[in-house]
């Protein structure tokens, strides 16, 4: 397929509003990169710059070492799948998938073979004579992907392709995209605001906020070792709990609760003694124990797990715990819990505090 290099990309609109700042990313051949972040963070703008649908204000875009920064979209050998499918309603599925090849005046036999091959990959063989209106949303999105596959592009670009699907179809189509990537070995850039999609699909994730890249890494790296409070709060569902704490006497003192630290944790925080920090705790890293009191407000029983919402200690600080099994707590119950893993952040810079950083 292809290698893609995004070097110091900026996007500044005519009204001097900057949407993307100094974006740098090297995409390896066959890699699936997911750009994730809240609405307005610049992820779709970045994808559109790669596609040639938005001008690049500064920086360079290289495809297999060739500078395509100013190349028109039609000459970039990329295929884009949009969230609204963009299918021609008056054409059959076969005609929709063959359309780009027909415009290129490719041989009809070649077109036929490519369409049938793509249809087989996507399970659309029985749908080729139907119109888009006769298909489900998930099937229409597969047609949009098939239209890209027949072109055999160097890079596939996905712009929130599952946003219009219901939860069940999103899960099924997400698995199809993952299988498609493995089968084709294709280089893919995928944009989403859904961190579940990012965690399940990506070889690497680019997490963005307000036009800036916050962290690039594997799904496990962003989940287990977030670089800052934004990434820690955005990646993971339910979000990470955050508490303002003070590091004194070998403990973290919060509002109405205390947390004991191991010798290793004390060593990690040794330069922050007497200072306020932010303690981050994922809901799944809270379990039943004897360390801290939790005043329960509500339960969400999910079958194998229960989300228990309440207040930490006597402080009124909101906390969510994801406990194993079916819990029968009711509002007003006092649960005893313990924290099994902690993340530390500098309150001023919001950056993670780690042992190796010192």
């Amino acid at each position: 397929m292809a290698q893609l290099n995004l070097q110091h990309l900026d996007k500044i609109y005519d009204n001097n509003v900057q949407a993307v700042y100094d974006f740098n990313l090297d995409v390896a051949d066959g890699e699936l990169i997911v750009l994730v972040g809240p609405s307005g963070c610049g992820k779709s703008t970045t994808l559109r710059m790669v596609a040639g649908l938005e001008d690049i204000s500064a920086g360079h875009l290289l495809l297999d070492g060739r500078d395509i920064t100013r190349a028109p979209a039609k000459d970039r050998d990329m295929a884009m799948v949009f969230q609204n499918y963009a299918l021609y309603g008056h054409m059959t599925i076969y005609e929709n998938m063959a359309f780009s090849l027909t415009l290129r005046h490719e041989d009809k036999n070649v077109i036929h073979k490519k369409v049938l091959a793509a249809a087989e990959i996507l399970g659309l063989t029985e749908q080729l004579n139907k119109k888009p209106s006769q298909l489900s949303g998930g099937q229409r999105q597969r047609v949009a992907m098939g239209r890209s596959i027949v072109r055999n592009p160097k890079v596939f670009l996905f712009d929130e392709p599952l946003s219009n699907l219901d939860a069940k179809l999103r899960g099924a189509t997400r698995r199809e995209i993952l299988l498609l990537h493995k089968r084709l070995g294709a280089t893919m850039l995928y944009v989403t605001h859904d961190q579940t999609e990012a965690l399940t699909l990506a070889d690497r994730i680019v997490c963005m906020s307000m036009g800036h890249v916050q962290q690039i890494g594997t799904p496990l790296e962003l989940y287990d070792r977030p670089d800052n409070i934004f990434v820690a709060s955005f990646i993971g569902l339910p979000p990470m709990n955050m508490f303002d704490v003070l590091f004194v006497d070998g403990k973290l003192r919060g509002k109405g609760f205390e947390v004991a630290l191991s010798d290793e944790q004390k060593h990690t925080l040794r330069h922050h003694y007497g200072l306020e920090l932010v303690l981050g705790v994922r809901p799944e890293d809270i379990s039943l124990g004897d360390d801290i009191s939790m005043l329960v407000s509500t339960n969400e029983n999910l079958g194998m797990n229960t989300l228990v919402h309440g207040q930490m200690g006597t402080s009124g600080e909101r906390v969510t715990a994801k406990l194993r099994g079916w819990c029968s707590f009711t509002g007003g119950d006092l649960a005893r819990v313990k924290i099994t893993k902690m993340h530390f952040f500098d309150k001023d810079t919001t950056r993670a505090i780690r042992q190796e950083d010192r």
Side-chain angles (χ1 to χ4, degrees), residues 75 89 95 98 180 231 236 244 279 311 320 323 325 351 355:
D75 296 333
E95 291 167 339
L180 177 66
V231 177
D244 289 336
L279 167 65
Q311 298 174 3
T320 296
L323 304 179
R351 301 291 298 174
Q355 174 62 39

Side-chain angles (χ1 to χ4, degrees), residues 93 97 118-120 122-128 135 139 142-143:
I93 302 310
M97 291 175 65
E120 183 179 354
L122 296 167
L124 292 171
T125 304
E126 302 300 320
Q127 317 298 331
L128 290 176
L135 303 186
Q139 288 172 322
R142 277 187 275 158
V143 175

Side-chain angles (χ1 to χ4, degrees), residues 12-18:
I12 306 171
Y13 289 102
D14 292 339
N15 58 1
N16 290 323
V17 172
Q18 188 156 355

Side-chain angles (χ1 to χ4, degrees), residues 82-85 137-138 141 160-167 169-170 193:
F82 299 91
Q83 76 178 73
N84 63 355
Y85 320 136
Q141 194 56 275
E160 305 211 36
L162 309 185
S163 297
N164 291 335
L165 305 180
D166 61 37
L169 276 177
R170 274 202 306 273
H193 64 274

